[in-house]
Amino acid sequence: MKQRPFKQVDVFTPTPYYGNPLAVVMDGSGLDDAAMQRFAKWTNLSETTFLLPPTDATADYRVRIFTPGGELPFAGHPTLGSCHSWLEAGGQPHAKDFIVQECQVGLVKIRREPGTKRLAFAAPPLKRSAPSPTVLAQVAAALGLKATHIVAAQCLDNGPLWLGLLLDNPETVLQLAPDHKALAKLGIKVGAAARYPREEAAPLIARANREARAFAASAPDFAPDLEVRGFVSPMGIDEDPVTGSLNASLAQWLIAEGHAPERYTASQGVCLGRAGQVHIERDSTGQVWVGGESVSCVDGSVSL
């Protein structure tokens, strides 16, 4: 074992402890798969990343992403949190306009958002298809949803696999009380979303419950266009606080089908007492960018 630089960062939030935490081992060299997996299980966070020298000369660094149960080819909040950590530790990108991350899904571009502290990643290519009626009915039952609550549904694949559901209104999303054992048995990760009518966004966020107060305290000027929840029972976690890959695939689907504008903001984590802020933009080339701020909460070393 040796001492390795280590950070724990909070992603998709400008305020510590309101986003999605990520453990980052800044030097993963010499660690085998079993050692990485063991440490990821020990941190007990949704993801732990290990930074390595790139194998592609065009990349700035390489990242491996582990959940407590296995390795992921790509994930959004680990991408932004790892890039934030790499830059904060003095990383210098090859290119002026982008940082290039290498991961199992390939090369991912990350840009600094002008005039903000946000980073944004280019959403990987999306494969999508209609879910089978049987699967959709099983998932709806596990979520306690009636058919009338579901506006649209798609199977989404941008590395991670999701069943995306567009629901009738944000309150339906926020009131979901899933049967997580049933979802785990089905082996399906589910992302549920609904749009706020613009005039309703601020009053709904200000509603007088604990989660909404936490949201308002951390982001008084943030009025989202979309409310999102991500249920990841097959990974051993009931609900993810803020999910980059899910928001990326939802954006690619919803914008393409005219369910969302080309630029919008999403809220996620309210029901967990978090206040995730996800910024979405589809540029003139059709590329979807998923952005958010990250803040370092722990900075030190780990014996690995």
Side-chain angles (χ1 to χ4, degrees):
M1 289 191 174
K2 71 176 187 178
Q3 293 298 114
R4 301 170 187 269
F6 173 81
K7 290 179 182 287
Q8 192 160 314
V9 301
D10 211 8
V11 186
F12 288 120
T13 176
T15 308
Y17 317 118
Y18 282 100
N20 197 354
L22 172 74
V24 185
V25 177
M26 303 298 296
D27 173 17
S29 60
L31 293 174
D32 61 18
D33 292 5
M36 292 183 181
Q37 185 62 73
R38 189 179 308 113
F39 185 66
K41 187 175 182 180
W42 180 84
T43 68
N44 203 34
L45 296 177
S46 58
E47 281 100 2
T48 298
T49 63
F50 301 84
L51 303 191
L52 298 155
T55 61
D56 187 310
T58 62
D60 293 303
Y61 62 88
R62 179 163 64 102
V63 66
R64 295 186 67 182
I65 305 167
F66 285 81
T67 73
E71 187 169 7
L72 296 178
F74 169 76
H77 104 272
T79 291
L80 294 186
S82 294
C83 185
H84 163 86
S85 299
W86 183 78
L87 290 170
E88 193 173 71
Q92 296 294 324
H94 298 318
K96 179 182 178 182
D97 298 327
F98 299 100
I99 302 99
V100 180
Q101 173 184 282
E102 179 184 353
C103 56
Q104 283 192 3
V105 82
L107 299 180
V108 177
K109 280 187 175 182
I110 303 163
R111 70 182 187 185
R112 296 180 175 95
E113 299 280 65
T116 75
K117 296 180 180 180
R118 295 196 303 265
L119 296 171
F121 67 83
L126 176 69
K127 299 175 185 176
R128 61 186 178 95
S129 59
S132 76
T134 300
V135 168
L136 185 57
Q138 290 172 327
V139 169
L143 293 175
L145 284 171
K146 297 178 181 178
T148 53
H149 289 135
I150 301 174
V151 177
Q154 285 274 278
C155 295
L156 307 170
D157 178 1
N158 62 358
L161 303 175
W162 293 90
L163 175 60
L165 301 177
L166 179 64
L167 303 185
D168 55 351
N169 67 69
E171 288 302 316
T172 301
V173 174
L174 292 168
Q175 291 170 9
L176 290 173
D179 181 340
H180 294 291
K181 289 183 179 179
L183 289 177
K185 187 175 181 180
L186 289 171
I188 297 173
K189 295 188 298 181
V190 180
R195 286 190 66 181
Y196 282 103
R198 172 47 54 196
E199 65 275 11
E200 293 182 16
L204 281 169
I205 291 171
R207 65 195 180 283
N209 60 46
R210 184 184 64 184
E211 292 80 14
R213 287 200 303 272
F215 188 100
S218 69
D221 298 322
F222 182 68
D225 302 291
L226 202 73
E227 193 68 52
V228 176
R229 294 178 72 183
F231 303 113
V232 288
S233 304
M235 295 172 59
I237 301 165
D238 288 346
E239 183 170 354
D240 197 40
V242 201
T243 319
S245 62
L246 170 60
N247 276 281
S249 57
L250 284 173
Q252 289 164 304
W253 165 41
L254 297 177
I255 294 172
E257 293 295 321
H259 294 299
E262 293 195 337
R263 186 184 184 97
Y264 69 85
T265 56
S267 159
Q268 189 180 349
V270 172
C271 293
L272 299 176
R274 306 292 178 85
Q277 303 180 20
V278 184
H279 298 260
I280 300 293
E281 179 186 357
R282 185 169 73 173
D283 67 21
S284 60
T285 70
Q287 174 65 58
V288 169
W289 294 88
V290 181
E293 292 188 45
S294 298
V295 288
S296 296
C297 301
V298 177
D299 196 343
S301 64
V302 63
S303 186
L304 267 177

